[in-house]
Amino acid sequence: MNPKIRVVVVDDSALIRRLLSDIVNREPDMTVVGTAPDPIAARDMIRSLDPDVVTLDVEMPRMDGLDFLEKLMRLRPMPVVMVSTQTQRGSEAALRALELGAVDFVAKPKLDIEHGVRELGNDIVDRIRIAARSRPRRPSAAAKALPGLAAIGKRMTTEKLIFIGASTGGTEALRETLVRLPADVPAILIAQHMPPGFTRTFAARLNDLCKVRVSEAQDGERVLPGHAYIAPGGRHLRLARSGANYIARLDDSRPVNRHRPSVDVLFRSAAELAGPNAIGIMLTGMGKDGAVGMRAMRDAGAYTIAQDEASCVVFGMPKEAIAEGAVIEVLPLDDIAGHLVEHLVRTGGRTNRV
């Protein structure tokens, strides 16, 4: 029998500590080994108990939860799930927590907290299980964009398109990849598993950091070079055509692989319409979403890349894509942007059939 997942709960509310402990302890594969009312108490508890996962509130006495998370991930990286009213829909606190190294977040309800937290019980324990299998990374230093393609005498055909799929750990993997890309790369379409309300804020944060223009995709808009389009939370993103132009299409059809947006939906549209002019990239994430779609991309002549296990927070989606025979290159996260630019320079306007 596998050992139980050992959890420390950090929250200033005695009620929340009790509710979370009850939710975790009713599961046969996990147990709460300690609870702390603030980060100062949690610090010593984590040191002595060495838990597998920490759940962490944001607003607490003696030290803010985000400040504690930053120190924890710098000195002792470990799986953290934020459970807080501050991680509500579209909140800066949730995205900041992911930037600092939290694996995931759950938004506590602001009204009728006891009933609301119990209702979230399955969601909370699912995220704890995912976190327990993750490999948190220390936040990386800010990276500089690579030289533009025009600066090295290359001009890409507008037919080239880049497609990226990601899930758990993907927000930071996307940031680390996109900030390195020059402004004149081909258009990028992204399916990142995120709940509704967060993708617009996430896109705006990336747009402030990147040379490429990053935005939440709009239904029917033209897909242009030098732009990155992120699927809105809760909607599928597909590539489509309108005359001679590529456009983004959004829809609310059923989830695929339990996800909407689904990476498989995006990658299948890439295989059907872009074929050998597509480049597919699979980043960190739990599950198998995107593996079949990436195989379709490769079969259609696309060039495909997967993030390697050592640099993944969760090596689920890349592993499944590799097992599917969908992947041409397996690379560390830090090498993906550079390799992508080298591939574009090497192939120029030619197709990528292999």
Side-chain angles (χ1 to χ4, degrees), residues 9-83:
V9 174
V10 187
D11 198 294
D12 63 325
S13 164
L15 171 63
I16 295 299
R17 295 197 302 274
R18 178 176 61 80
L19 288 173
L20 290 178
S21 296
D22 289 346
I23 288 167
V24 170
N25 287 333
R26 75 186 181 197
E27 299 296 313
D29 60 336
M30 59 183 69
T31 184
V32 171
V33 294
T35 66
D38 60 62
I40 304 303
R43 181 183 59 196
D44 296 335
M45 188 173 292
I46 290 169
R47 186 181 297 119
S48 63
L49 295 175
D50 191 25
D52 301 304
V53 179
V54 171
T55 71
L56 182 62
D57 192 10
V58 173
E59 287 188 317
M60 287 182 290
R62 303 176 74 187
M63 182 184 292
D64 179 85
L66 294 178
D67 291 339
F68 178 63
L69 177 64
E70 183 174 18
K71 291 179 171 61
L72 180 66
M73 297 309 292
R74 186 174 68 248
L75 301 173
R76 188 191 180 104
M78 64 187 311
V80 174
V81 176
M82 306 301 294
V83 183

Side-chain angles (χ1 to χ4, degrees), residues 291 294-296 298-299 304 318-328:
M294 181 169 266
R295 178 71 216 203
R298 183 174 183 181
D299 289 345
T304 56
K319 180 181 179 180
E320 293 294 332
I322 293 166
E324 191 71 30
V327 177
I328 294 171

Side-chain angles (χ1 to χ4, degrees), residues 154-167:
K154 294 291 181 180
R155 182 177 180 274
M156 290 299 106
T157 170
T158 56
E159 292 297 304
K160 294 280 189 179
L161 292 166
I162 300 165
F163 299 84
I164 304 178
S167 187

